[in-house]
Amino acid sequence: MAMDTLDLGALVAIFLALVAYFTKGSLWAVENTHYSPTFKSASSSSSGKTRDLIETLKKTGKKAIVFYGSQTGTAEDYSYKFSKELQSRFSIPTMCCDLADYDFDKLNDIFEEIDDFCLISFFMATYGEGEPTDNANEFFEYLENECENLSNVKYTCFALGNSTYEFYNAIGKKLVEEFDKFDAKLIGKLGLGDDGKATMDEDYLSWKDELFDTLRSELNIEEKEVIYEPSIKITENNELTINDKIVSLGEPNKDYINPTTDIELKKLQFGPFNHTHPYLAPIKFSKELFNSKERNCIHAEFDLSNTNLKYSTGDHIAIWPSNSNENVFKLLEILNLSDKKNQTLPGNFRPNFKKFIKINFTLFTK
Ligand SMILES: Cc1cc2nc3c(=O)[nH]c(=O)nc-3n(C[C@H](O)[C@H](O)[C@H](O)COP(=O)(O)O)c2cc1C
């Protein structure tokens, strides 16, 4: 399927989500402001949000937190699913967050300072030689060097890894080991998700079902009848038209298409790049190498010549697939929405670049 998408060429925008090198701290020789030391010591995140967990919980009224340590989005996806289910099945207001977005010095105080706070869950992927993901580095630094006590903490942990690696799920295991040292209480078992056997979903579901039984019995959390709640609500915006610059027509971010200043243009070429701001790489050349019933194989070359990007082993490309106009119009017709085809919608539909189709690729040398 991915190959068909590639074939669409002009319809498909290709992005380099530059996450992937797994040597701690190196990011294509580009400064990673998101995890920089200055960022760590600041009391608010780059988006202006506070890094103080208790302040956030008081402001939002949340009673559980789901943290993810994720490099390419799998752990992040599972944590969002899990948060949604805590909310819908147990009515626990839950927030789902990136481990890099908060400071951890008040982790133990949460359970005393926030009334009815239930639990913290972790979804932790492993990389390199049993290393944490980039967004979990500071968290482990805190556990190893600063943490003193977690005796109030009730937590769950689902580890994501691949059993073909020597350090299988090392980071989930390490988290439990560290939390044990500081007397935190693990609810249920450490979940072990295995990409190597392609059983991640099954591993997650059996861990989760068992865990939910434990939540009911150990934390006396009652389950309620699940009522369908739509995850997005659409309202129409009549102030903007499809010609306005800020209106997205399916591309990830209009700035990518129409940089209007030199600064914008430079940013598109030279970054800094990360998964929320990937480089939009033109396909220079592609040809089909072979085609069989099971799969087809395409040789594709991506042009990085106008950028400062360099390929390193483990880097990923991601594909931004677009629906064909023909299919979009067909769907609108079926839904009786054809007259709305130019309707502008207000947008919290920001794409998550981590959720692109991901391809691990090999660099062929000539
Ligand atoms: C370059 C690379 C290195 C990895 N190293 C390990 C490892 O040492 N141990 C392990 O259990 N899994 C390892 N994995 C598997 C990932 O942890 C697993 O695919 C996980 O689901 C990725 O989660 P994420 O998408 O949230 O980053 C590695 C995967 C890649 C691509």
Side-chain angles (χ1 to χ4, degrees):
M1 197 188 90
M3 293 311 172
D4 288 342
T5 316
L6 264 177
D7 252 347
L8 289 174
L11 294 176
V12 174
I14 307 288
F15 296 87
L16 281 174
L18 7 152
V19 229
Y21 52 83
F22 301 103
T23 326
K24 231 175 178 175
S26 62
L27 180 56
W28 284 357
V30 176
E31 189 198 359
N32 182 352
T33 49
H34 196 58
Y35 306 121
S36 71
T38 17
F39 183 74
K40 185 184 176 185
S41 58
S43 64
S44 61
S45 69
S46 54
S47 60
K49 280 195 299 189
T50 178
R51 294 180 58 80
D52 186 317
L53 275 171
I54 292 187
E55 196 185 322
T56 308
L57 290 167
K58 283 187 175 161
K59 217 188 283 169
T60 56
K62 303 291 184 190
K63 304 294 180 194
I65 307 176
V66 181
F67 280 117
Y68 53 85
S70 181
Q71 195 83 10
T72 56
T74 321
E76 183 179 351
D77 278 348
Y78 280 105
S79 29
Y80 273 99
K81 271 190 220 161
F82 185 74
S83 319
K84 234 178 139 185
E85 219 168 321
L86 278 184
Q87 179 101 29
S88 62
R89 283 177 65 172
F90 297 99
S91 305
I92 304 172
T94 305
M95 71 179 201
C96 185
C97 5
D98 189 323
L99 271 169
D101 283 347
Y102 289 92
D103 295 329
F104 295 97
D105 48 337
K106 293 182 182 160
L107 210 54
N108 198 43
D109 305 332
I110 293 175
F111 288 78
E112 282 178 338
E113 292 199 27
I114 304 294
D115 292 340
D116 303 322
F117 189 83
C118 302
L119 91 156
I120 303 177
S121 293
F122 294 92
F123 285 77
M124 305 299 294
T126 300
Y127 277 85
E129 310 251 312
E131 299 291 321
T133 53
D134 291 332
N135 75 327
N137 273 331
E138 286 180 6
F139 174 60
F140 278 96
E141 270 168 34
Y142 170 77
L143 290 178
E144 283 162 17
N145 304 315
E146 292 170 50
C147 185
E148 288 174 356
N149 179 18
L150 295 174
S151 58
N152 295 328
V153 171
K154 290 180 191 139
Y155 74 103
T156 72
C157 184
F158 184 77
L160 295 93
N162 182 320
S163 54
T164 62
Y165 284 90
E166 185 183 350
F167 299 98
Y168 174 52
N169 269 324
I171 283 304
K173 292 174 188 165
K174 187 170 172 186
L175 186 147
V176 172
E177 209 175 282
E178 292 289 333
F179 271 48
D180 251 9
K181 271 192 217 159
F182 300 114
D183 298 324
K185 182 171 167 41
L186 176 66
I187 310 288
K189 288 185 194 146
L190 164 67
L192 297 176
D194 189 356
D195 242 5
K197 291 195 190 131
T199 54
M200 189 66 83
D201 258 342
E202 291 87 331
D203 298 334
Y204 167 69
L205 291 173
S206 65
W207 169 80
K208 187 202 66 179
D209 288 346
E210 206 175 306
L211 175 71
F212 282 177
D213 287 340
T214 315
L215 288 185
R216 277 181 225 108
S217 58
E218 278 190 34
L219 298 187
N220 291 325
I221 298 175
E222 278 181 31
E223 197 166 339
K224 63 162 189 167
E225 195 191 333
V226 181
I227 298 165
Y228 171 73
E229 289 168 26
S231 48
I232 49 169
K233 186 176 170 210
I234 293 183
T235 46
E236 295 177 358
N237 179 332
N238 294 317
E239 282 157 28
L240 295 168
T241 73
I242 54 170
N243 298 320
D244 284 292
K245 188 173 179 259
I246 60 165
V247 174
S248 162
L249 301 179
E251 72 281 3
N253 180 338
K254 196 129 194 165
D255 290 342
Y256 279 88
I257 313 295
N258 290 324
T260 48
T261 63
D262 278 355
I263 295 176
E264 274 176 14
L265 187 67
K266 264 205 177 123
K267 215 173 150 198
L268 291 184
Q269 273 179 306
F270 301 115
F273 300 110
N274 56 41
H275 64 271
T276 60
H277 181 258
Y279 176 65
L280 189 66
I283 301 175
K284 209 165 124 193
F285 171 74
S286 75
K287 67 173 178 192
E288 187 160 53
L289 292 180
F290 66 82
N291 191 345
S292 70
K293 250 194 203 156
E294 289 80 35
R295 62 197 190 115
N296 58 347
C297 182
I298 286 177
H299 167 105
E301 293 175 13
F302 301 95
D303 189 359
L304 303 180
S305 59
N306 289 322
T307 73
N308 54 357
L309 289 173
K310 293 248 170 353
Y311 171 83
S312 9
T313 312
D315 283 347
H316 289 62
I317 61 165
I319 297 173
W320 180 257
S322 302
N323 295 308
S324 71
N325 282 349
E326 195 191 349
N327 285 341
V328 172
F329 293 148
K330 212 183 270 174
L331 181 69
L332 286 174
E333 210 177 297
I334 292 165
L335 299 175
N336 211 9
L337 288 170
S338 295
D339 59 328
K340 301 267 186 197
K341 78 176 184 327
N342 288 336
Q343 176 66 51
T344 306
L345 304 171
N348 272 336
F349 304 111
R350 290 235 155 229
N352 180 348
F353 289 94
K354 284 186 188 167
K355 289 182 184 158
F356 285 7
I357 299 163
K358 286 167 289 184
I359 306 176
N360 285 322
F361 69 101
T362 323
L363 187 70
F364 294 98
T365 44
K366 285 182 187 158

